[in-house]
Each structure stands twice: as C-alpha cells, then as structure tokens.
Amino acid sequence: MDKLDNVKTHKVTEPFLDLNCRLGEAPFWEGGGKVRFVDIVKQKLYFVDLEKGASSLTSTDLPISIGTTANVDGHDDGFVFLGKHGFGYYDKAKGTHRYIRKMWTEEEIADGKEERMRGNDGAVDSRGRYWAGAMNDPLVKEPSDEGVLRLDPDLSLHRILSNVTIPNGISWSADDRTMYFTDSPSGQITAYDFAATTGRISNPRPFFRIPSSGPLAGGVPDGHAVDADGYLWVAIFGTGRVVRLVPDGGRDGRRAGEVVALVELPTRCVSCPGFVGEELLVTSAEEEDPDGYPESKRFQGAVFRVHVGIGGMKLHRFGGKV
C-alpha cells in the first residue's frame, strides 16, 4: 500500500507545545492528564497536564541525557530510566537521580564505551523487566554496532541483541506472545516470538519495511506504541507521519504490517507516539535538512496531540527494587 490509498487519516496542522526540541522522545502517560517526555540532546525533562493545557508545562535541566523512562512498582514519586551511563531512578520531588545498574563493565569503560554510548528507546514487559537500547551517542561518534539490554527485577543485566545500528521502539502484542523491535536505519521493524515467563525471544521475522515508493519512502521507523486492539502506531521519522499497522499474524483479512490509518503532522522528523487516553502525544526532533524543507523547520522539535478514537495498552511497571 505504497500510496496509502483508502487509509483513515488524522491531520494535525499546529503543535500542542512549540518547544524546538533537538530530539524530543519518550512520551509517557503518568495518569489523569499528566505526561512526561524528554529532549535527549538538550538533556531536559518535561512534565505537562493535557487537561490543563500548554500553560501547565514545566521543565528540568538534567546533568545527563535520558532516552527512555518507565514507572516502578510501589514508587509513584519517581520513575526508572535508561540514561547516559546506565539504568537509574529519578526522584520527582527532589529532582535528583541515581544509578541502580550501570551498563558497562570496567573493561568496557576503559575502552571508552561509557563516554561514547547513551541510552535510547525502551519499555517494560509484562513481568516487570526493562528492555532498552544502547547506542553510540551521535554527539560523540557515528552510530554503529549497538544493542538491546534487559534489566530484570533482580537488577541482573542481560545483553539481548547486538549488531544493531540505532535501537528504537520496543513493544509487545496484545496476547503477549510477540515482541516488536525497531532498528531504524534498516528501515524495518522485526517481530520475535516472546516467552513471557523467561523473557526469551526467538524466530525473528520482518514485520514492517519502509516501502521503496510512496509517501513513506525515504523515512525510517522510530518509536511506537500499541493500542488496545493490538495495532502498532509507529512514527516514521523523515516523513511527518505516524502510521497504524495491523499486528503480527494479520487481522480481519489484512496482512501483518499493513497501514490502516495514519496521522499527518507539519514537521518531518517525528520521533515517538504515546497514548494519553484516546489521544496520541507525538514528539519530534530538529529538522535535518532545514534548507530543503523550510516548512518542516517551522515546527521542528514540537510536541503534537491528536485524538485517534482508541486508547493504548497498559504500560507495565518495572518490578525491581530501586
């Protein structure tokens, strides 16, 4: 469906928050109308209440970059994250953070990994394990040979995938038997069989590929979120679109990965969608070609909201002691 014909379209023309983020990411619904998200490059943490509107926005400057966040069992006063050097806990009341598990061994630190790497996208599975991607920080070195880590509730760290270019969206199917993972520069989202009891993934297979022609051509899949019916909403960086995809295995006569709805936004570099009730909150990044796309530069790094008529799957909490 390269031309995206006969696809339900939601069109957004103005931002909810005109922030000019360098790399807006990780929209996370805290409950009610409250949402948090980050700017990885500017090292900022934002909070906003959608019920109160844009005037409720607050921001905090961080001493490190944070790529992904998740709530924690028994801790409503803070959240866990994967940041510059590892997994940590952020205390919202105090505005402080501490690491609970660093990513790298002493040998890897001596090799420069702690300096050149940072955390990127991630999510918590149904058993409270925190999956997240680590990548070369583009401010230090060109991304290459990255990987996916998993922090279990006992704080043991597992290296799940390697030889990934830019690890991005991670999510699970409604029946908890499939895990979806994005390696952005490959142009592909891969589906894996997922064993919830052990956390083991197997049987990798292509789920969605960027088409060679049409409005998605030239873009890359970025962050994604799963709705209550199990469909994926994926930001296609470089196209100004978020697409809704049929889940693994197909549905109602449609093939897996088929585009059945989309959101059109007024800037190209959309990065990650997140559900807030029946709305999507969509972050974006700095326009990579401002001379070629001046109209996209106008709302680069903004945050958008759009009503899509369906809510998201439950967001799981990290089950470890922090």
Side-chain angles (χ1 to χ4, degrees), residues 209-230:
R209 285 193 179 104
I210 294 292
S212 59
S213 61
L216 302 184
V220 296
D222 204 320
H224 50 76
V226 181
D227 67 31
D229 287 340

Side-chain angles (χ1 to χ4, degrees), residues 32 34 43 52 81 83 164 221 245:
K34 297 179 180 179
Q43 298 183 187
K52 296 180 179 179
F81 64 84
V164 177
L245 304 178

Side-chain angles (χ1 to χ4, degrees), residues 16-38:
F16 169 52
L17 300 169
D18 193 1
L19 288 180
N20 199 32
C21 291
R22 287 283 303 280
L23 180 52
E25 280 283 4
F28 193 100
W29 186 21
E30 296 190 319
K34 297 179 180 179
V35 179
R36 64 177 181 260
F37 60 96
V38 300

Side-chain angles (χ1 to χ4, degrees), residues 191-241:
Y192 295 84
D193 291 345
F194 176 68
T197 54
T198 62
R200 183 175 180 267
I201 57 173
S202 60
N203 188 27
R205 56 200 177 272
F207 167 69
F208 171 77
R209 285 193 179 104
I210 294 292
S212 59
S213 61
L216 302 184
V220 296
D222 204 320
H224 50 76
V226 181
D227 67 31
D229 287 340
Y231 288 67
L232 275 74
W233 295 76
V234 184
I236 309 297
F237 190 95
T239 71
R241 291 173 170 85

Side-chain angles (χ1 to χ4, degrees), residues 152-226:
D152 286 4
D154 63 2
L155 301 188
S156 61
L157 187 64
H158 305 267
R159 300 172 188 238
I160 306 299
L161 296 173
S162 59
N163 300 317
V164 177
T165 309
I166 298 181
N168 250 307
I170 300 173
S171 62
W172 291 268
S173 60
D175 64 6
D176 209 23
R177 297 175 64 182
T178 303
M179 189 182 90
Y180 303 101
F181 168 68
T182 302
D183 179 5
S184 288
S186 73
Q188 179 172 293
I189 299 174
T190 300
Y192 295 84
D193 291 345
F194 176 68
T197 54
T198 62
R200 183 175 180 267
I201 57 173
S202 60
N203 188 27
R205 56 200 177 272
F207 167 69
F208 171 77
R209 285 193 179 104
I210 294 292
S212 59
S213 61
L216 302 184
V220 296
D222 204 320
H224 50 76
V226 181

Side-chain angles (χ1 to χ4, degrees), residues 14-208:
E14 299 283 337
F16 169 52
L17 300 169
D18 193 1
L19 288 180
N20 199 32
C21 291
R22 287 283 303 280
L23 180 52
E25 280 283 4
F28 193 100
W29 186 21
E30 296 190 319
K34 297 179 180 179
V35 179
R36 64 177 181 260
F37 60 96
V38 300
D39 184 334
I40 297 177
V41 175
K42 289 185 177 179
Q43 298 183 187
K44 282 183 172 288
L45 170 65
Y46 291 95
F47 297 92
V48 68
D49 191 326
L50 270 63
E51 294 176 356
K52 296 180 179 179
S55 63
S56 67
L57 179 73
T58 61
S59 67
T60 299
D61 291 322
L62 300 168
I64 59 169
S65 65
I66 287 179
T68 169
T69 72
N71 286 346
V72 191
D73 275 344
H75 291 268
D76 291 332
D77 54 350
F79 56 82
V80 287
F81 64 84
L82 180 61
K84 175 65 178 176
H85 307 117
F87 292 89
Y89 178 76
Y90 184 87
D91 187 311
K92 292 191 290 185
K94 297 178 180 178
T96 59
H97 81 278
R98 54 184 167 81
Y99 284 108
I100 59 176
R101 183 65 193 257
K102 293 290 189 75
M103 282 190 282
W104 312 116
T105 65
E106 291 300 322
E107 182 180 357
E108 289 169 325
I109 291 171
D111 189 44
K113 272 198 167 184
E114 189 171 60
E115 171 62 26
R116 72 173 184 264
M117 305 286 280
R118 67 162 171 81
N120 207 41
D121 208 343
V124 175
D125 70 20
S126 60
R127 303 303 174 94
R129 296 171 292 234
Y130 197 178
W131 300 64
M135 60 177 287
N136 275 322
D137 189 333
L139 299 178
V140 180
K141 182 181 178 181
E142 192 71 18
S144 64
D145 192 22
E146 324 298 358
V148 174
L149 309 174
R150 192 188 76 214
L151 183 67
D152 286 4
D154 63 2
L155 301 188
S156 61
L157 187 64
H158 305 267
R159 300 172 188 238
I160 306 299
L161 296 173
S162 59
N163 300 317
V164 177
T165 309
I166 298 181
N168 250 307
I170 300 173
S171 62
W172 291 268
S173 60
D175 64 6
D176 209 23
R177 297 175 64 182
T178 303
M179 189 182 90
Y180 303 101
F181 168 68
T182 302
D183 179 5
S184 288
S186 73
Q188 179 172 293
I189 299 174
T190 300
Y192 295 84
D193 291 345
F194 176 68
T197 54
T198 62
R200 183 175 180 267
I201 57 173
S202 60
N203 188 27
R205 56 200 177 272
F207 167 69
F208 171 77

Side-chain angles (χ1 to χ4, degrees), residues 302-317:
V303 177
F304 305 88
R305 61 188 292 189
V306 55
H307 189 272
V308 294
I310 189 169
M313 281 181 54
K314 176 184 176 182
L315 296 174
H316 300 295
R317 289 173 172 258

